[in-house]
Amino acid sequence: MTDFGLNEEHEALRSSVHEFAVETVAPVIGKFYEDHAFPYEIIAKMGKMGLFGLPFPEAVGGMGGDYFALCLALEELARVDSSVAITLEAAISLGAMPIYRFGTDEQKAKWLPKLVAGEALGAFGLTEPGFGSDAGGTMTRAVLDEATGEWVINGSKAFITNSGTDITAFVTVTAVTGTKPDGAKEISTIIVPSGTPGFTVAPGYSKVGWCASDTHELQFDDCRVPAANLLGQRGRGFAQFLATLDEGRVAIAALSVGLAQGCVDESLIYAQQRHAFGQAISSFQAIQFKIADMEMRAHTARLAYYDAAGRLVAGKNFKRQAAIAKLYASEIAVTNAREATQIHGGYGFMNETPVARMWRDAKILEIGEGTSEIQRMIIARDLGL
């Protein structure tokens, strides 16, 4: 029989991150969110806690944990705020992990120490203005200038997280680097350090949610980087980002569960404080049933991501389970956010309340790192359809 309980080490981590989220993040994050400001102070404290090094071995400066540990941290952070949680998720899954998985010894030595310490952030430039889910339609191109030994990159990327902060060290960019024998695009990934001439970061987006996270459009105009900045094998960029996204979906599922559980937390508090018709609204069966259903959804989604993360850590095939967890958790997060807003009534529509942020933050979970439709395609294909 499978035991879904946490061991001592994981429970201690979960508890410490929960305490940090409640005592350090919750009191101040509303102001950052309202100002659309990146919370550098909070990120620095997360770095000192070792959160950015959670799934990396001690040999590269990490905490020696695993991907499940990261998921637990993401859930606890997202119970309070998703902007902070997505900053951590993207920094690890999309920034540091590709370097760790596919980088050369030199690349690892150069970038990983600061990334796992939370002193620098890396970003992953995949999505383009004209191509979202169809990442194979990449138009950004990189030509190797044999005379100078440099890649010359031209193109643009959209919706890239952690790409324009003061501590962003680089963006790993997918680009077409040639044509395969069968006529298909040869897609590779290339590390572009921040500040490289020809690399322009547009002003931050005005977003519906995740307002305290960093997201930009990027432009590359004859941007030159050394040939040694190729990440992994030439022409393996498409396969690399697919592997990266599989892991990232488990993390997004955990983040989604955190938001869904946060909606339960806030609704429980409010329902016992708010009175109507002479009694607390928590005594009304209509409210009780709403909160019970919210708890049921969060619990079930948690089991799904626990299963996917367990398979990942054990080295088993987890693609279908990751898609299931991400699909279900993101969709129930949206539902829980809507129901929590309804329970709060007019206060749920005020930005001063956490559930208003959760309501705004929830929708992107059905879109980012693979839309719900893409997850259903992955599940269907894995079933042989």
Side-chain angles (χ1 to χ4, degrees):
M1 182 174 177
T2 301
D3 180 7
F4 285 99
L6 301 181
N7 62 30
E8 244 183 75
E9 189 175 349
H10 281 142
E11 176 55 34
L13 169 67
R14 188 209 64 76
S15 180
S16 66
V17 178
H18 177 75
E19 181 180 347
F20 173 79
V22 171
E23 297 183 1
T24 302
V25 180
V28 300
I29 196 60
K31 180 62 173 172
F32 285 106
Y33 197 95
E34 184 178 347
D35 294 344
H36 290 245
F38 189 74
Y40 287 102
E41 299 92 335
I42 294 175
I43 300 306
K45 291 176 181 178
M46 289 164 58
K48 290 179 180 178
M49 288 178 66
L51 298 188
F52 289 89
L54 273 176
F56 300 101
E58 296 178 7
V60 297
M63 297 294 289
D66 53 29
Y67 216 87
F68 183 56
L70 168 63
C71 288
L72 291 175
L74 291 172
E75 180 184 346
E76 292 304 322
L77 289 171
R79 285 178 72 167
V80 169
D81 176 69
S82 291
S83 291
V84 169
I86 194 59
T87 298
L88 177 64
E89 190 279 332
I92 292 177
S93 297
L94 304 180
M97 195 58 75
I99 301 293
Y100 176 69
R101 295 275 191 231
F102 312 115
T104 63
D105 290 341
E106 291 76 13
Q107 290 168 345
K108 292 176 183 178
K110 180 176 182 179
W111 302 112
L112 280 181
K114 287 192 174 182
L115 293 177
V116 300
E119 297 172 0
L121 299 176
F124 193 69
L126 171 64
T127 305
E128 299 192 355
F131 297 91
S133 298
D134 180 18
T138 298
M139 296 297 290
T140 296
R141 293 190 171 273
V143 177
L144 185 60
D145 185 337
E146 300 286 356
T148 63
E150 297 174 317
W151 290 105
V152 183
I153 308 170
N154 284 280
S156 59
K157 300 292 178 178
F159 317 128
I160 309 305
T161 303
N162 291 346
S163 58
T165 75
D166 292 343
I167 57 174
T168 298
F170 64 86
V171 177
T172 299
V173 179
T174 53
V176 178
T177 52
T179 304
K180 294 183 178 180
D182 62 359
K185 294 178 178 178
E186 176 193 84
I187 298 178
S188 305
T189 48
I190 301 171
I191 302 169
V192 181
S194 298
T196 300
F199 172 24
T200 304
V201 179
Y205 289 103
S206 175
K207 298 175 292 187
V208 171
W210 285 356
C211 295
S213 74
D214 178 79
T215 320
H216 300 266
E217 182 172 349
L218 312 177
Q219 186 69 38
F220 302 91
D221 297 297
D222 288 335
C223 177
R224 290 176 171 266
V225 298
N229 282 28
L230 178 71
L231 181 64
Q233 297 178 19
R234 177 170 177 168
R236 294 288 295 168
F238 197 81
Q240 288 173 198
F241 89 71
L242 287 178
T244 297
L245 290 183
D246 281 340
E247 293 183 352
R249 284 165 184 149
V250 182
I252 292 296
L255 192 157
S256 300
V257 170
L259 187 150
Q261 191 66 56
C263 290
V264 177
D265 298 341
E266 295 297 328
S267 295
L268 280 171
I269 295 171
Y270 183 79
Q272 295 175 73
Q273 294 175 343
R274 177 80 162 106
H275 284 68
F277 307 108
Q279 55 191 311
I281 64 172
S282 61
S283 65
F284 299 136
Q285 193 176 67
I287 301 299
Q288 293 173 0
F289 281 11
K290 277 186 182 293
I291 296 177
D293 285 346
M294 291 163 63
E295 174 67 12
M296 173 188 67
R297 296 185 198 101
H299 177 74
T300 306
R302 182 177 297 108
L303 294 179
Y305 99 66
Y306 272 27
D307 178 45
R311 289 171 179 270
L312 190 167
V313 171
K316 298 179 180 178
N317 188 310
F318 66 97
K319 179 181 283 289
R320 185 201 308 176
Q321 288 74 20
I324 291 171
K326 198 273 184 185
L327 172 62
Y328 183 71
S330 63
E331 294 196 341
I332 67 98
V334 171
T335 301
N336 275 19
R338 183 183 67 246
E339 294 287 56
T341 303
Q342 189 71 16
I343 290 170
H344 280 69
Y347 289 104
F349 201 63
M350 300 296 111
N351 283 330
E352 66 194 61
T353 61
V355 295
R357 295 200 307 272
M358 292 172 181
W359 184 52
R360 293 170 64 178
D361 290 341
K363 183 57 191 176
I364 188 60
L365 298 172
E366 296 181 312
I367 299 170
E369 294 207 33
T371 63
S372 293
E373 291 75 18
I374 290 295
Q375 305 315 311
R376 288 183 167 90
M377 285 174 57
I378 293 170
I379 296 165
R381 286 175 180 172
D382 200 64
L383 290 170
L385 300 175

